[in-house]
Structures are given as C-alpha cells and as structure tokens.
Amino acid sequence: DAMVIQNPRYQVTQFGKPVTLSCSQTLNHNVMYWYQQKSSQAPKLLFHYYDKDFNNEADTPDNFQSRRPNTSFCFLDIRSPGLGDAAMYLCATSRDQGLPSYNEQFFGPGTRLTVL
Amino acid sequence: KNQVEQSPQSLIILEGKNCTLQCNYTVSPFSNLRWYKQDTGRGPVSLTIMTFSENTKSNGRYTATLDADTKQSSLHITASQLSDSASYICVVSAHGGSQGNLIFGKGTKLSVKP
C-alpha cells in the first residue's frame, strides 16, 4: 500500500518552463519534506512543512517554491527550470519531531525531472 | 561541521557472499542513526534505526552496529541476493535544530552479481 505518493514519476520540461511536482501521503503525518537528489549524491533538503509552518533551507534557490494546501498534499513548484535543476525530487513525511520513532522519514518513489 | 562519511563508495560481490558497509559521522549532538536502502530510481526505504544506547539492530539479513564512542556504524549483509543491489545510505539525526536536521551520507553502491 503506497503511503507517500509522488506524481508524475517522470517529468520532462523545457528550459524556463514552469513545472509542478506533487506529493500526497496517507499517513496523516504532520511534517512533509522536499529533497533534491542528483546522480550519485546524497539527497539535499530544499524545505519542509511542519503542519502549515513553512521552513526554507538557507541555500534553497528562490526558483523553488512549495505549497501545502492541506495535510495530505504538498507541491513543489519550479518557476524557471534550468539545466542544473535536472534531478530526482524526493518527497518525505514524518509523524512529528522529538523521539526517533516520531521523526523517522518515509520517502516517496521520487519524480525524475529532465530539463531540455 | 556535521558530516557523514561512507565507505566504500561502491562494492561488487557475488551472490551468496556477505559484506559490510561502513559509516563514520561527526554529528553532534547525536540523536539517532538510520540505514536506508535506495533502489535505482526509487526513494530510500528505512532498514534500521539506532539510538545512542543501542549498539546492534537486525532486520532480516541486515545487521547494523553502532559505536557511539568512536562514532562509527556498520551495516552487515548476510548471504547476499541479487535484489540487494542498491545504494545504502547512512543518515544521522542531530538533536534540536530544524525538523529536517538529517545529515545524509553519499551512500555505498552495492552490486550483487550472479
């Protein structure tokens, strides 16, 4: 049973053309995360939501935005994709913070973005 | 600076053999350490999680160890299978900080050959 769902699995866009990636979860977790992972590299946290509270990492480019309209859904908007934005984008959720059992992150399958 | 270093970067073994992957970290204050398995083109899946007081945790053929004094962890895979071919990522969580305060290693890419 899928718990963290990402759509689409593969996305092709043109240089500069806005694109939106979506993530949904059936776990009712409070926290949702977006990561960027380039080939053979560790995932890099872009931002996360604790409930409706948005937290942006200091080095996340302004080109990346996010929306969380409700508990279940979170979107990643790339306003003007560049060639360097081609990567796997991973969505993750965690129940809460504090105890390790609460902050364990569950990852979706990822969306692979290609920029032409 | 909080860092997680994994070795080797890649590893090739024959089906049925055992292997051990290493993780060294400099994260402080330490909260917990996880090993994830990431199949090619998929999201990471948690294998084990260990807190400061735990020094070993098993999940089937996967056994993780933690030495909090030397800040080292290992993941031992027994009787490897072709389906074990994947990247194995060590992730360390620090106390406090932001919600997303996980430090990822770059992973070890394991290839199991028939």
Side-chain angles (χ1 to χ4, degrees):
Chain A
D1 294 333
M3 296 183 290
V4 182
I5 303 161
Q6 291 189 243
N7 286 303
R9 294 292 317 280
Y10 302 91
Q11 176 73 57
V12 180
T13 190
Q14 291 180 332
F15 183 94
K17 185 174 181 181
V19 66
T20 295
L21 310 182
S22 74
C23 176
S24 63
Q25 53 132 339
T26 60
L27 298 163
N28 203 32
H29 282 174
N30 284 328
V31 193
M32 295 188 77
Y33 310 79
W34 279 106
Y35 289 87
Q36 178 192 66
Q37 186 179 27
K38 296 189 176 180
S39 181
S40 300
Q41 294 185 20
K44 178 182 179 300
L45 182 65
L46 296 174
F47 24 60
H48 71 273
Y49 275 93
Y50 182 81
D51 195 11
K52 296 180 181 180
D53 183 25
F54 177 72
N55 297 271
N56 197 36
E57 293 301 299
D59 56 355
T60 298
D62 293 338
N63 197 27
F64 291 87
Q65 305 285 324
S66 185
R67 296 170 283 134
R68 189 179 185 186
N70 54 53
T71 300
S72 300
F73 284 86
C74 195
F75 299 98
L76 170 62
D77 300 309
I78 308 177
R79 292 190 297 183
S80 181
L83 298 179
D85 296 328
M88 174 76 85
Y89 289 88
L90 296 168
C91 174
T93 73
S94 68
R95 180 178 173 184
D96 210 299
Q97 63 176 344
L99 295 175
S101 60
Y102 282 20
N103 67 19
E104 177 179 1
Q105 294 191 14
F106 295 82
F107 287 83
T111 294
R112 179 162 297 282
L113 177 68
T114 300
V115 181
L116 301 177
Chain B
K1 181 181 179 182
N2 288 334
Q3 284 187 318
V4 175
E5 301 286 341
Q6 291 187 243
S7 62
Q9 187 175 6
S10 62
L11 182 63
I12 301 174
I13 62 173
L14 293 176
E15 185 179 11
K17 298 296 186 182
N18 303 336
C19 67
T20 300
L21 314 180
Q22 301 290 344
C23 174
N24 297 336
Y25 62 92
T26 58
V27 177
S28 181
F30 175 85
S31 175
N32 58 77
L33 183 147
R34 297 187 178 94
W35 283 93
Y36 281 89
K37 177 186 179 187
Q38 185 174 22
D39 292 317
T40 301
R42 309 288 297 185
V45 175
S46 180
L47 294 175
T48 63
I49 176 173
M50 289 180 291
T51 59
F52 184 87
S53 59
E54 297 173 298
N55 54 26
T56 188
K57 184 72 69 78
S58 291
N59 177 0
R61 293 180 296 103
Y62 301 101
T63 299
T65 65
L66 173 65
D67 186 333
D69 291 331
T70 62
K71 297 186 177 181
Q72 295 180 325
S73 176
S74 66
L75 180 69
H76 186 75
I77 304 175
T78 304
S80 61
Q81 301 176 357
L82 298 179
S83 59
D84 293 331
S85 296
S87 287
Y88 291 83
I89 305 173
C90 177
V91 183
V92 181
S93 176
H95 273 299
S98 67
Q99 283 288 337
N101 200 15
L102 299 185
I103 298 91
F104 286 75
K106 292 186 177 181
T108 292
K109 186 172 184 178
L110 175 65
S111 297
V112 181
K113 303 295 186 184

